[in-house]
Amino acid sequence: MTTRQENSPVVVFWFRRDLRIDDNHALYEALNTGLPVKIAFIFDTEIIRNFKSDDVRFSFIFNRLQEINRKLAQYGQSVHLFHGTPTEAFEQMVGRWNMITVFANEDYEPAAQKRDNNINQFLAGKGIEFKTYTDQIVFHPNRVLKPDGKPYTVFTPFGKRWRQRLSEIQIPVFDSEKLLQLRKERACAVVELPKPEGIILTGAKRKAAFPEPQLIQEYDQKRDYPALDATSRVSVLLRFGLISIRQLAQMAIKESNTYLNELIWREFYMSILFHFPHTVNQSFKKRYDAISWNLNEADFQRWCCGETGYPIVDAGMRQLNATGFMHNRLRMITASFLTKHLLIDWRWGEAYFAQKLHDYEQSSNVGGWQWAASTGNDAVPYFRIFNPTLQSKRFDPRNEFIRQWVPEFESLSYPKPMVEHGFARKRALEVYGRV
């Protein structure tokens, strides 16, 4: 027999890349309806099957959901976990609740856009509305456009227009947690979330903390030196939505123009991927799809393992393999080495980073790799090829970072460079020059 509560109309808030209850745009809008809100998360089997079952990112997500669930209990709420494809999950929800509207924050990756279009059609067929909101970036990609309505493909004018937009508004705060407090009925017992099928939990957690103001203030002077550990490391927090981009942007506006510029770069790459989804696996500058890449698996594996014979390259790759993080300066150096020195397809490197980086964000990763490979929009010119030795002398002058990750670099056991820089540069110029 159907209970009255099951017949009562509800709205659903769908957690995705926004794992927080404070300043959450879609959650705020759902709570503002005045209707009971069901809070859902879907462990999407279509995503899980593309990763190793013990991928640490699954633990980040699950442990964060556990934290949120315990906090929601104070407000008489809980997280409802579903396991399956999004369509299968919403079929279960339709059978369980009298859903009026589903609220979610936007996702701009091509696969996510396809998923949301499918869910929108499915829900529409059930007479349920699907509403999405801007949350993981300050401005929707369609809000920072050229005067003719076309998207920017060069960062500098995009950044200028982005800042102009910022001057026209006050960055909003969506006080979703306050609404939860106001709508609190009574605290409920915490029911631990069941472990989802198909994943192995490693216990890994990620603290949702904003960087200290001093770090942001000194960012411009220290950000390029990996031994200093002077970057904010918020990229993984933004990737999973543990902190609000709006609140971080407010801090950057106050403390550091350089740091704000990095946030604008992130939005620029999201805009590019949104408007040019083919760049996931095709060069933005299409002529570069004709490059004759050196598809050498052995060379690629030496790069992956950090055994190229160039200490700064090897240190970056070993840091990535051991920690799931790589300093941004080293991302540029290692990507340039793979694509210019070894002439290996940027897509191989992009896919490897996707497997390893805890902060993997498709738009920034694809954008960064195409920048390094000179195949993308607003990319480094193809004739600019990083010299790993000079990069090392400039950004790790006392070999502090190298010693941490490549302690044998001065010993006879350390391999000789797999390719000589002068030769590699000349070869790259010839190959790129032909296209």
Side-chain angles (χ1 to χ4, degrees):
M1 180 176 177
T2 303
T3 67
R4 180 179 177 184
Q5 186 175 7
E6 290 171 331
N7 282 330
S8 300
V10 301
V11 299
V12 171
F13 166 69
W14 180 11
F15 265 131
R16 283 116 68 95
R17 292 183 49 177
D18 50 358
L19 300 181
R20 66 187 188 283
I21 61 174
D22 63 300
D23 194 21
N24 187 311
H25 193 170
L27 177 58
Y28 176 85
E29 299 294 345
L31 292 165
N32 249 339
T33 64
L35 291 169
V37 178
K38 301 293 185 180
I39 298 174
F41 182 86
I42 302 168
F43 273 100
D44 187 344
T45 50
E46 294 179 340
I47 294 175
I48 291 174
R49 70 185 180 192
N50 293 324
F51 295 88
K52 293 181 179 179
S53 60
D54 62 349
D55 192 297
V56 71
R57 287 167 286 194
F58 294 139
S59 289
F60 288 162
I61 293 169
F62 182 73
N63 288 324
R64 177 61 173 174
L65 288 169
Q66 290 276 32
E67 293 173 8
I68 290 173
N69 191 52
R70 294 181 192 118
K71 194 164 189 178
L72 285 174
Q74 302 172 25
Y75 309 128
Q77 282 277 9
S78 62
V79 175
H80 299 268
L81 277 190
F82 294 86
H83 185 267
T85 68
T87 301
E88 290 169 346
F90 277 103
E91 284 176 344
Q92 292 181 52
M93 291 184 221
V94 168
R96 186 181 300 183
W97 303 318
N98 179 16
M99 298 159 52
I100 305 299
T101 310
V102 174
F103 292 81
N105 287 311
E106 294 161 348
D107 197 337
Y108 309 107
E109 296 178 359
Q113 293 272 298
K114 181 180 179 181
R115 173 203 64 200
D116 286 356
N117 287 335
N118 291 339
I119 292 302
N120 188 32
Q121 292 178 16
F122 171 81
L123 293 174
K126 304 288 186 181
I128 301 167
E129 196 172 7
F130 184 41
K131 293 185 176 182
T132 59
Y133 299 87
T134 304
D135 187 76
Q136 62 177 280
I137 50 179
V138 177
F139 295 115
H140 187 282
N142 283 333
R143 291 203 60 201
V144 185
L145 300 171
K146 298 178 183 178
D148 63 3
K150 294 180 180 179
Y152 288 99
T153 58
V154 176
F155 174 74
T156 300
F158 175 90
K160 184 177 180 181
R161 181 61 176 148
W162 193 97
R163 290 172 184 273
Q164 182 183 4
R165 281 283 188 208
L166 189 68
S167 69
E168 296 168 355
I169 68 161
Q170 182 175 356
I171 296 179
V173 174
F174 300 99
D175 207 340
S176 43
E177 187 165 7
K178 184 176 180 180
L179 283 182
L180 280 168
Q181 293 171 338
L182 291 173
R183 294 186 51 168
K184 174 181 175 180
E185 296 177 7
R186 70 176 188 275
C188 61
V190 177
V191 178
E192 293 296 302
L193 300 177
K195 185 183 81 67
E197 303 169 27
I199 69 173
I200 299 172
L201 297 178
T202 63
K205 295 184 179 182
R206 181 66 62 171
K207 186 178 180 182
F210 279 87
E212 293 297 324
Q214 183 177 351
L215 185 146
I216 302 300
Q217 293 161 8
E218 297 175 348
Y219 181 77
D220 187 26
Q221 292 78 35
K222 297 181 177 180
R223 62 174 176 154
D224 279 319
Y225 301 93
L228 296 180
D229 194 22
T231 57
S232 63
R233 299 210 182 196
V234 299
S235 52
V236 68
L237 306 182
L238 292 175
R239 170 64 182 86
F240 295 110
L242 272 62
I243 62 174
S244 162
I245 183 61
R246 291 176 292 274
Q247 294 175 11
L248 186 62
Q250 291 279 27
M251 174 182 279
I253 291 166
K254 181 181 178 183
E255 305 293 350
S256 170
N257 184 58
T258 301
Y259 192 86
L260 179 63
N261 222 42
E262 292 302 305
L263 299 183
I264 300 173
W265 266 106
R266 178 175 174 267
E267 301 211 0
F268 174 62
Y269 280 143
M270 281 202 184
S271 175
I272 292 297
L273 191 63
F274 178 78
H275 292 292
F276 305 98
H278 69 277
T279 58
V280 166
N281 49 33
Q282 298 176 43
S283 300
F284 185 89
K285 297 175 181 174
K286 294 187 178 181
R287 63 184 179 275
Y288 286 124
D289 278 332
I291 289 176
S292 297
W293 297 109
N294 174 28
L295 305 181
N296 188 310
E297 287 278 1
D299 284 357
F300 180 65
Q301 286 305 316
R302 286 188 65 178
W303 175 84
C304 291
C305 296
E307 297 173 354
T308 68
Y310 283 93
I312 194 68
V313 175
D314 294 343
M317 296 307 298
R318 294 184 192 185
Q319 181 189 42
L320 172 64
N321 293 331
T323 69
F325 170 80
M326 188 192 289
H327 189 278
N328 189 57
R329 170 57 57 176
L330 300 177
R331 298 188 196 201
M332 292 188 283
I333 294 170
T334 56
S336 176
F337 186 86
L338 184 73
T339 57
K340 301 289 179 64
H341 282 68
L342 301 183
L343 281 176
I344 289 177
D345 195 329
W346 64 268
R347 284 161 281 233
W348 288 25
E350 195 278 333
Y352 189 75
F353 273 26
Q355 291 176 0
K356 295 292 184 177
L357 284 171
H358 295 170
D359 66 1
Y360 173 72
E361 198 163 55
Q362 189 175 54
S363 53
S364 294
N365 203 50
V366 168
W369 271 95
Q370 292 223 40
W371 181 89
S374 302
T375 62
N377 60 298
D378 202 21
V380 62
Y382 78 87
F383 51 80
R384 188 176 298 165
I385 300 171
F386 285 1
N387 181 328
T389 303
L390 294 181
Q391 290 286 310
S392 178
K393 289 180 179 178
R394 183 176 178 186
F395 298 112
D396 192 26
R398 291 186 291 275
N399 296 322
E400 295 172 89
F401 185 78
I402 288 171
R403 289 185 197 284
Q404 180 182 354
W405 293 103
V406 193
E408 79 280 15
F409 81 101
E410 292 177 312
S411 71
L412 293 176
S413 65
Y414 187 62
K416 295 187 181 302
M418 58 190 297
V419 62
E420 192 269 327
H421 172 70
F423 166 79
R425 185 178 189 281
K426 184 175 182 292
R427 180 178 63 175
L429 291 176
E430 290 173 354
V431 170
Y432 274 79
R434 285 199 289 269
V435 299

